Amino acid sequence: MAESGRGLLRALALVLLPIFLVGGILTYEGLLDPVAGLAGLLALTLIFALQAWRYLRGIEDLRRLVEALAEGDAQPYGSHRSHPVLRELGSAIARLDRTHRERERALTMLVEAGDTVFDSVPDPLIVLDGESRILSANRAARESFREPLPDRHVSTVLRQPALLKAVFSALHEDVLRTVEITLSDPVERVLSITALPLPAQPGAGKILLACHDVTAERRSEQMRGDFVANASHELRTPLASLLGFIETLRGPAREDEEARDRFLGIMHGEAQRMSRLVSDLLSLSRIELREHEVPSGSVEVVPLVESVAQAFELQAARRSIKILLDPAPGLPAVVGDADELKQLLHNLVENALKYGREGGTVTVCAVLPGRLPASYPRAEGGAVAIAVRDQGDGIAREHLPRLTERFYRVDPGRSKSVGGTGLGLAIVKHIVNRHRGALTIESEPGDGSVFTVYLPADRASAEPGPAETLPRAG
Amino acid sequence: MATEHIVRSYDEELQRLETMLIRMGGLVEAQLGDALSALGRRDTVLAEAVIGNDQAIDELHFDIDEFVVRMLALRQPMANDLRAIVAALRIAGDLERIGDYAANISKRTIALSHSQIIKPLAGVVRMGKVAQQILKEVLDAISRRDADTAKIAWGRDSEVDEMYTSVFRELLTYMMEDPRNITPCTHLLFMAKNIERIGDHATNIAETVYYMVTGEAMRERRPKRDTTSFTDPDELNRPGERGGA
């Protein structure tokens, strides 16, 4: 109020000073009666001061009103003691404020709805600014890239030259472009990404990167080719031998009963080999097709190990091999697909029985590993290691990194004699990849081999136990 | 993509250097990926493209070189910044070499396209995939400034070396089996060597990243598992100790 008081005095002085001056001159010249003049001037001053006071108060009220509105007061300070014109002005301002507020609410709702839509699109979406920095990313993008995205330059996340070129075209040439890029994290994924310019203020370009996962399509295309190539190549040999025997049976050995029995036995073996090969190829394709989808189930380790060991009781007894189970107590469950993990363990134990020493033992142990191998993809939550150890002849060092290659055989003759398809460990490797785990093979010739599978622990069931070291080969 | 804007501040210059380096890394990574798929599919068109793209990497390498020299001269960087700048120079050099090896693999892919398909090709491609994985991890480590990732990638080079030893022996066996295999196997042998070198350069980059982030040199000795220099051809004729899966 002190401010408006000073203002009132200034206004009074400004308006009344010339009047007093004119009155003074008139009185001095004798044109005005001094007493009447003085009285008139005093009356004038009084009237003017009152009027000015009313206006100033009205303006002060308006100021408070605007201030209250600016601070977001919904029930602003009422102005009822001021001039009607100012009062009308006040209510006009309040009305204007109300419409603005409503519009703002509508816009906020629109933005929120937009954000919800943005977040619920199943495909990853990323918005970049004019400097190719990431402004925002929707939920699918956050889940897909599994690392903090906002504020980073796009090239620190996706450095594929084709994509950077598309971003550049969208930003500087206003051209929409779609590129296909391959990510390996660590299983290959193929994303089709469209970079399209978004409406923005001039000079501040904005780009939307709309990603679509086309891994499944690309994989099934490639898989079909691989399957045909592998199948035709590997099936040719047993098929040729079958045809050969059939020809012999129809021709020279037609009446030879002894040869017929022997040939039929061999033919049966070859046909079984073909059937095993086909079923292994089929399961390999099935796993490869889904390799980019991480399984989400939870599998208890001990029942899994026990069920696989039970299934092999007969086969183990035939070679008088003992299967020893040694799971650490209190193991957490692992994240995985129960059927695939069963197949994984099945293949490892089957190998151990096939190549292990007759009359020896095959040990299956499961622990919380103290150290993870370098090939284990970084993931929080720890891992469970399942190791299968045999007491066979062992494998020479130079073969170890190649064992999981499909149809790689250290000793083709021996593999054939024990009924191997050359795919068992390839299947294991792909299952491990799909689970984002790791496989290590340790072996010393003469000392047996240890195949260890590291699988991500299920955090929900995890209770930290003491870390243990795995047994080494031998 | 040459955006020639006027660089205003020191920070912007450092940022620009990093962006250039990552762009170069992306180019090299794509070149290696393309070279390997060209080899796997015996796709000579893609192989030609890889050879043609090598120029872009060389140009970018030259740009980074010049940029670094200018920054060193004008800004006289200290401590962290100096490390980042020197590291960029070293990394660019290693990346350029990797790019050359990728182009070299593609040249041999074209030479190989006339001979019959031989089996060890799959082993070479697989070995390349491991090197590619390591390169990817190392480049991720650059953009995240993550010394741990760099160290893990560094340790994985022994995987490439071991595969190299295995592929080397396999190729020798094929050559001894049939003299007609010698030409294609020699090409594959050189490709395998190129990939082994790519692994070594990726390891160098990992060491540089570790130095850039922590300020300390990696003291441990590099795990070396390439034992081809000791391979005795007579030994190759002995049968394997054990059947595969």
Side-chain angles (χ1 to χ4, degrees), chain B residues 130-204:
Chain B
V130 178
Q132 195 187 3
Q133 270 289 325
I134 296 175
L135 179 64
K136 184 212 170 250
E137 281 175 20
V138 165
L139 293 174
D140 283 348
I142 298 178
S143 55
R144 292 196 203 118
R145 304 201 161 258
D146 179 353
D148 292 339
T149 308
K151 195 157 183 187
I152 290 171
W154 178 81
R156 288 190 65 186
D157 187 43
S158 57
E159 286 176 40
V160 178
D161 287 345
E162 279 178 349
M163 287 189 83
Y164 176 60
T165 310
S166 166
V167 166
F168 185 87
R169 293 174 68 109
E170 192 183 7
L171 286 169
L172 283 194
T173 325
Y174 274 93
M175 287 196 238
M176 290 190 311
E177 227 171 67
D178 185 348
R180 279 171 303 176
N181 282 340
I182 290 178
T183 314
C185 281
T186 309
H187 281 303
L188 284 174
L189 201 56
F190 275 105
M191 288 188 200
K193 183 69 199 165
N194 285 342
I195 293 169
E196 192 266 335
R197 294 296 301 146
I198 287 174
D200 288 346
H201 282 286
T203 317
N204 279 348

Side-chain angles (χ1 to χ4, degrees), chain B:
Chain B
M1 280 205 44
T3 40
E4 277 306 325
H5 60 93
I6 302 154
V7 177
R8 279 179 212 87
S9 74
Y10 186 31
D11 277 345
E12 270 177 56
E13 279 191 7
L14 282 171
Q15 192 70 56
R16 187 163 139 76
L17 182 63
E18 197 190 322
T19 316
M20 278 163 96
L21 195 65
I22 289 171
R23 207 169 84 215
M24 184 172 177
L27 274 173
V28 170
E29 202 182 7
Q31 284 282 87
L32 179 58
D34 285 350
L36 291 176
S37 41
L39 173 62
R41 301 200 306 249
R42 300 161 75 81
D43 180 345
T44 48
V45 180
L46 186 58
E48 298 269 13
V50 172
I51 297 168
N53 284 342
D54 193 43
Q55 176 107 32
I57 293 176
D58 291 347
E59 276 166 19
L60 202 50
H61 179 220
F62 183 75
D63 287 349
I64 290 178
D65 251 17
E66 239 185 345
F67 197 75
V68 166
V69 170
R70 229 194 56 201
M71 278 190 85
L72 286 176
L74 295 181
R75 304 288 192 180
Q76 284 157 13
M78 310 265 280
N80 275 347
D81 298 340
L82 180 62
R83 275 210 310 274
I85 293 170
V86 171
L89 190 66
R90 293 219 299 243
I91 292 171
D94 281 319
L95 284 175
E96 194 266 340
R97 295 299 305 147
I98 296 177
D100 283 349
Y101 287 129
N104 210 335
I105 291 171
S106 287
K107 278 179 201 153
R108 292 188 188 277
T109 301
I110 294 170
L112 204 63
S113 65
H114 304 297
S115 50
Q116 84 236 52
I117 298 178
I118 49 171
K119 217 183 141 223
L121 191 140
V124 176
V125 174
R126 229 174 98 98
M127 179 182 166
K129 293 266 182 212
V130 178
Q132 195 187 3
Q133 270 289 325
I134 296 175
L135 179 64
K136 184 212 170 250
E137 281 175 20
V138 165
L139 293 174
D140 283 348
I142 298 178
S143 55
R144 292 196 203 118
R145 304 201 161 258
D146 179 353
D148 292 339
T149 308
K151 195 157 183 187
I152 290 171
W154 178 81
R156 288 190 65 186
D157 187 43
S158 57
E159 286 176 40
V160 178
D161 287 345
E162 279 178 349
M163 287 189 83
Y164 176 60
T165 310
S166 166
V167 166
F168 185 87
R169 293 174 68 109
E170 192 183 7
L171 286 169
L172 283 194
T173 325
Y174 274 93
M175 287 196 238
M176 290 190 311
E177 227 171 67
D178 185 348
R180 279 171 303 176
N181 282 340
I182 290 178
T183 314
C185 281
T186 309
H187 281 303
L188 284 174
L189 201 56
F190 275 105
M191 288 188 200
K193 183 69 199 165
N194 285 342
I195 293 169
E196 192 266 335
R197 294 296 301 146
I198 287 174
D200 288 346
H201 282 286
T203 317
N204 279 348
I205 298 178
E207 281 172 13
T208 312
V209 174
Y210 188 86
Y211 164 74
M212 176 174 83
V213 177
T214 63
E216 284 164 27
M218 224 186 280
R219 292 261 174 246
E220 287 166 59
R221 274 196 45 186
R222 182 135 115 208
K224 265 277 162 202
R225 291 277 167 75
D226 168 14
T227 53
T228 50
S229 357
F230 313 114
T231 304
D232 173 8
D234 296 333
E235 192 194 326
L236 288 176
N237 292 328
R238 271 196 271 143
E241 288 83 352
R242 177 191 163 153

